[in-house]
Amino acid sequence: MLQHWLIELVGHVSGLSDAQLRQIETSLPATKALIDLLNRAQPMIEQAQSLYAEAEPLIDEAKKEWQTVGPAAQILIDVISHHVDKGRSPAEAAQAVRAALDGSIKSVAQDREMDRDVSRVTVFGGTGFVGRRIARHLRGCGATVRIASRHPRRAEGDGLEQIAADAHDERSVEAAVAAADGVVNAISLYVEHGADTFHSVHVEAAARIARAARRAGTKRFVHLSGLGADAGSPSPYIRSRGEGEAAVQSAFPGAVIVRPAVMFAPDDAFLTTIVGLLRSLPAYPMFGDGRTRLQPAYADDVAAAIAQIVRQSKKPSPIYELAGPRVYSYEELLRTIARSAGLRPVLMRMPFAFWNAAAGLAEMLPRPPLTRNQVELMQIDTTAAESRPGFRALGISPRSLEEELEAMLKHNKTQTQNDAHPR
């Protein structure tokens, strides 16, 4: 078809006869072969054009998908590099990669599910151990964060606002939640002093913040509690935690309760204290017989989970229990920490009556290293219930205690070497 069309076109323009054109055609064999090839290719060209028209919207969708998966791919590269540097076996590296990707791709993909209407969040207790991490994660996902605390510090970075707020004062609380789309209560008390009792902080103040948030039209309210919270407990601390949950849910229907396990981080009072005591004591005194079960969680994982709960567009669960990937007995935990630190400690069992007496004396100090509520918590198992949603429901793969401990010990060793040999 193409060949005949070309001959007709040349003949029309030039005025040559068909016989003359055919004579020219026979004298140009290569040209004739090229035209024949183009003639045979024409259906394929037409089909390719049709396929491209069909593929064009898919190409656009694929670009969007790779924009989503790209950060997860970077996580994959980082995990592989980390384990190669550590000299781990291929099987160990593969297992770590699977664990990382199991949560990371879900977590990155869920960024699309963030509620863009929850753009301003007030964090009560935002200068504390967990609160400042929550504020950082909220800011990292694009929210403007108002940090409400009794003693505000200077705000660091754009999108962070410090405001003085007393959780015991109604007007102060109302000013802190004004125009906030989300509110997080991360206030916690470990030692009672003056007007700050477990009941006044964990129950009354928590309910006051929740009521003010509801009146202000806040879309999402998250209350930080803890594993083991029980309104029927004889322990004032544990009981106040349970009563606080009930008070918040009553004051703000739809409030989300987050119960983290004992948390660890490089600047914590848990892991760092145990490492220091294991190094310095000839024999380490254990709580009771060492059989109490714990499931420690990395503080930044908890903060990331709370930030996601605040901003996710889908309706969250009423209660989340956030715990690490492994359950330890207290004795197993101590031996795991000691082994990572290259120590072989002598562990000595001490009755809880001794610890209660020691904690009572310690609470007389300005910053007590041990409190009676901590002793009470060590008498009950603090592990996540399988029936409750946790990190996995939020697409987060929690960091292991061993991994963080290894990084912490390596950092401390490097810091010690730098201090010993200053440049």
Side-chain angles (χ1 to χ4, degrees), residues 210-264:
R211 284 195 302 270
R214 179 175 54 79
R215 289 195 299 266
T218 299
K219 297 181 178 67
R220 186 71 46 83
F221 186 90
V222 177
H223 174 71
L224 188 65
S225 182
L227 285 179
D230 180 6
S233 172
S235 160
Y237 174 81
I238 297 173
R239 184 173 62 250
S240 71
R241 282 301 206 179
E243 291 174 344
E245 291 182 1
V248 164
Q249 289 171 323
S250 175
F252 193 113
V256 180
I257 306 298
V258 174
R259 297 171 180 162
V262 59
M263 287 175 277
F264 60 88

Side-chain angles (χ1 to χ4, degrees), residues 306-325:
I306 292 172
Q308 184 169 314
I309 291 168
V310 172
R311 298 206 66 208
Q312 69 183 17
S313 57
K314 67 178 182 180
K315 185 179 179 180
S317 298
I319 298 174
Y320 289 87
E321 294 195 345
L322 305 179

Side-chain angles (χ1 to χ4, degrees), residues 150 168 187-204 234-241 243 359-368 370-374 376:
R150 195 177 295 179
H168 298 301
I187 297 175
S188 185
L189 182 72
Y190 297 101
V191 180
E192 294 181 310
H193 43 82
D196 287 333
T197 65
F198 294 139
H199 191 270
S200 72
V201 173
H202 294 155
V203 184
E204 294 173 359
S235 160
Y237 174 81
I238 297 173
R239 184 173 62 250
S240 71
R241 282 301 206 179
E243 291 174 344
L361 293 173
E363 286 177 7
M364 298 179 185
L365 301 173
R367 299 186 65 182
L370 180 69
T371 64
R372 280 171 291 184
N373 67 76
Q374 289 173 323
E376 290 163 353

Side-chain angles (χ1 to χ4, degrees), residues 39 64 122 147 156 172 184 252 261-262 268 300 314 338 341 372 419:
N39 195 35
K64 293 176 184 177
T122 297
I147 299 172
E156 298 179 3
S172 178
V184 177
F252 193 113
V262 59
D268 67 13
D300 273 279
K314 67 178 182 180
R372 280 171 291 184
D419 292 343

